[in-house]
Amino acid sequence: MADLPTRWSSDEGIAWQADIHGYGQSSPVVWGDHVYVTSSEGPWQQDCQVHAFDLQSGTRLWTTHMEATTKVENYFRNSRAAPTCCVDESGVYSFFASGDVTSMTHHGEIRWSTPIIKTYGEVDNERGVASSLSQTDTHLFVLVDHHGPSYLLAVDKRSGDVDWKTDRGDRVPSWSSPVIAKIGKRNIVVTSSADTVDAYDAATGESLWQLDGLQGNHIPSASVAGNRILVGSTTMYGGATDEDAVAGSNCCIELTEEDGKLGYKVRWGAERANSYYSTPLAFAGYVYYVNKVGVLYCVDQETGEQVFAKRIGNPCWASAVGVTRPDGEQLVYLVLKNGFTIVLRPSDEYDQIARNQLYDAGAMMDAREAAENQRKANTVPADEAKPKSGPEKIFANMPESQLHQMFSYGDPMVYGVAVAGDRLLIRTGQTLFCVGGKAD
């Protein structure tokens, strides 16, 4: 239940906005009156930062700095503080491209930090680590898939100890996050990554089943809707290119249990859907996907049949949100990469009720300049930079301006959103916005 506004603009309806030091691509998370986001600074992203803001006023409450244990180039096509935190009543848990998993209190005091990559070896992944943490009451789960020994592991929330590590073999580099599903009282960790979907026992790391033969599920994370898993896939440069196979990999998996044995059944695969960065949204009987050129696909959640496809103008790097208002009205919020938010009523037709702009042209130019200055200040000296690998080798000598144009980069970009009652929190690389509510 959430009472979000449906209309706002750059000069009306925004309760507050706050600057974020450094640069980050994670989504905000909320606990009580605290909003948490991450960022990183330094040529090697050596300064990892967690920030807490007051939900009501936008005041920055604290910033905790952590020294990275593994160097990661601060390059605009690399992951930069991309993993989203987990939060619970005890505190906040962060994960960075450096491989450091850290627990801290709600006051920003570090309790423990575990250097995953330093412990288990460097990651051969041309964009760096971007997979977010997932959690149960007792453990955090970390997924690392790359050209090398890949793995899923569980970290004890109280101590920071690694309780189990399950090897996944050499994999295609992927950046999706694990998700937690339940069958009865049993937690399972589901990974949609590197052309397979796998399920593991959350308590032991035991492999329960694997669905292979998929294409393109390297970026979007799966979503959980009851006993069903919605998988997102996309065509990729240097990767999955078969559009029909990718569309069918945007699929629905039903979790099953027979005589105590856990399994799965593929309910359907889509005919045309394509999910770029954002996680598929299952809501009000439909599943929504957005592709890399800004086409929204809506399919029937029960059958997978396409309901409609509509060009909405920009892709979504932030995942869509479905809300039910106090009066029972259901709405879908699609926050586009360029800062516009489309509000839809779930329907068999495209039923847009609002299109809202977050920032005006002046603010956009200011953000662009701030991001450019940040990149220049954090550039790795040419004689220290490692050679680019994989598809990145092709782009290594191209001017940054050309790459921005080719891949539609260009700040400000919206990376993540969160809902907190009557407020929608929207995060760009260097700014956190709060839409709705009232500033104190």
Side-chain angles (χ1 to χ4, degrees):
M1 189 75 68
D3 193 15
L4 296 182
T6 57
R7 297 185 183 276
W8 62 86
S9 67
S10 59
D11 56 8
E12 185 176 356
I14 297 176
W16 52 261
Q17 66 183 70
D19 292 337
I20 303 170
H21 297 168
Y23 194 97
Q25 299 166 312
S26 59
S27 295
V29 295
V30 180
W31 187 268
D33 281 336
H34 285 194
V35 184
Y36 300 103
V37 294
T38 62
S39 64
S40 61
E41 283 192 281
W44 295 104
Q45 298 193 58
Q46 63 268 28
D47 183 6
C48 301
Q49 304 175 19
V50 177
H51 313 276
F53 294 88
D54 181 79
L55 175 62
Q56 303 301 319
S57 66
T59 301
R60 184 164 62 90
L61 302 173
W62 51 260
T63 294
T64 296
H65 298 260
M66 293 156 288
E67 183 73 18
T69 59
T70 301
K71 289 183 175 181
V72 180
E73 183 179 355
N74 197 331
Y75 175 57
F76 79 99
R77 278 177 56 77
N78 277 4
S79 301
R80 290 176 287 168
T84 296
C85 295
C86 285
V87 64
D88 64 15
E89 63 183 5
S90 297
V92 58
Y93 308 89
S94 64
F95 181 47
F96 286 87
S98 61
D100 297 302
V101 180
T102 304
S103 168
M104 59 190 68
T105 69
H106 287 291
H107 300 291
E109 299 163 346
I110 294 176
R111 297 187 296 193
W112 52 256
S113 190
T114 302
I116 300 298
I117 291 176
K118 183 179 180 181
T119 301
Y120 298 110
E122 290 194 15
V123 173
D124 182 5
N125 177 335
E126 60 268 15
R127 301 286 183 83
V129 174
S131 177
S132 298
L133 300 172
S134 62
Q135 67 174 338
T136 59
D137 290 342
T138 58
H139 287 83
L140 305 167
F141 301 92
V142 183
L143 176 65
V144 176
D145 276 348
H146 67 118
H147 291 304
S150 300
Y151 51 87
L152 174 73
L153 55 79
V155 179
D156 188 295
K157 282 184 173 182
R158 295 166 300 178
S159 64
D161 294 337
V162 175
D163 276 359
W164 55 255
K165 175 174 173 286
T166 297
D167 295 332
R168 288 168 54 83
D170 286 4
R171 290 269 176 159
V172 177
S174 294
W175 301 270
S176 63
S177 305
V179 295
I180 306 299
K182 269 185 174 288
I183 295 187
K185 296 182 179 180
R186 192 172 180 183
N187 288 316
I188 64 172
V189 186
V190 178
T191 62
S192 173
S193 176
D195 299 329
T196 70
V197 176
D198 297 83
Y200 301 90
D201 188 301
T204 65
E206 175 193 0
S207 176
L208 301 173
W209 52 259
Q210 180 183 87
L211 169 64
D212 58 13
L214 301 182
Q215 284 195 28
N217 63 333
H218 307 267
I219 302 175
S221 303
S223 58
V224 180
N227 68 339
R228 297 188 181 180
I229 308 296
L230 286 306
V231 175
S233 293
T234 187
T235 51
M236 295 180 62
Y237 184 89
T241 57
D242 185 327
E243 292 187 4
D244 290 337
V246 167
S249 298
N250 287 273
C251 61
C252 175
I253 301 169
E254 181 178 346
L255 303 176
T256 63
E257 182 176 11
E258 187 173 346
D259 297 329
K261 184 177 181 180
L262 303 186
Y264 72 93
K265 177 169 62 177
V266 178
R267 299 283 303 188
W268 49 259
E271 293 182 5
R272 290 183 57 200
N274 190 299
S275 189
Y276 187 34
Y277 276 24
S278 58
T279 295
L281 170 66
F283 183 69
Y286 303 96
V287 184
Y288 297 91
Y289 307 85
V290 182
N291 76 0
K292 66 179 67 178
V293 295
V295 175
L296 169 66
Y297 295 95
C298 175
V299 307
D300 185 280
Q301 185 174 339
E302 191 63 31
T303 66
E305 294 181 1
Q306 182 166 302
V307 177
F308 64 77
K310 175 71 174 180
R311 187 175 293 275
I312 57 175
N314 219 243
C316 292
W317 286 16
S319 297
V321 175
V323 302
T324 300
R325 295 163 64 90
D327 61 5
E329 183 181 25
Q330 294 181 305
L331 297 172
V332 173
Y333 288 72
L334 296 152
V335 186
L336 310 186
K337 188 177 74 169
N338 63 1
F340 281 88
T341 299
I342 292 173
V343 185
L344 305 177
R345 288 191 184 92
S347 171
D348 286 348
E349 298 179 347
Y350 182 80
D351 186 7
Q352 177 179 311
I353 66 169
R355 180 181 176 91
N356 305 306
Q357 188 172 8
L358 187 61
Y359 29 73
D360 60 19
M364 187 180 301
M365 295 303 295
D366 290 344
R368 189 166 297 172
E369 181 179 359
E372 183 177 358
N373 290 338
Q374 203 271 348
R375 289 196 302 275
K376 288 179 179 177
N378 288 275
T379 299
V380 172
D383 59 346
E384 296 181 24
K386 294 181 180 179
K388 297 292 185 290
S389 62
E392 293 303 307
K393 290 189 294 186
I394 299 171
F395 309 125
N397 297 316
M398 287 187 181
E400 184 175 310
S401 58
Q402 185 177 351
L403 291 171
H404 276 286
Q405 186 173 10
M406 284 178 62
F407 294 98
S408 299
Y409 292 120
D411 287 275
M413 289 186 283
V414 171
Y415 291 110
V417 302
V419 174
D422 62 351
R423 297 168 184 257
L424 179 66
L425 296 150
I426 303 174
R427 189 258 167 88
T428 64
Q430 295 177 288
T431 307
L432 179 64
F433 297 85
C434 178
V435 176
K438 293 181 180 179
D440 289 346

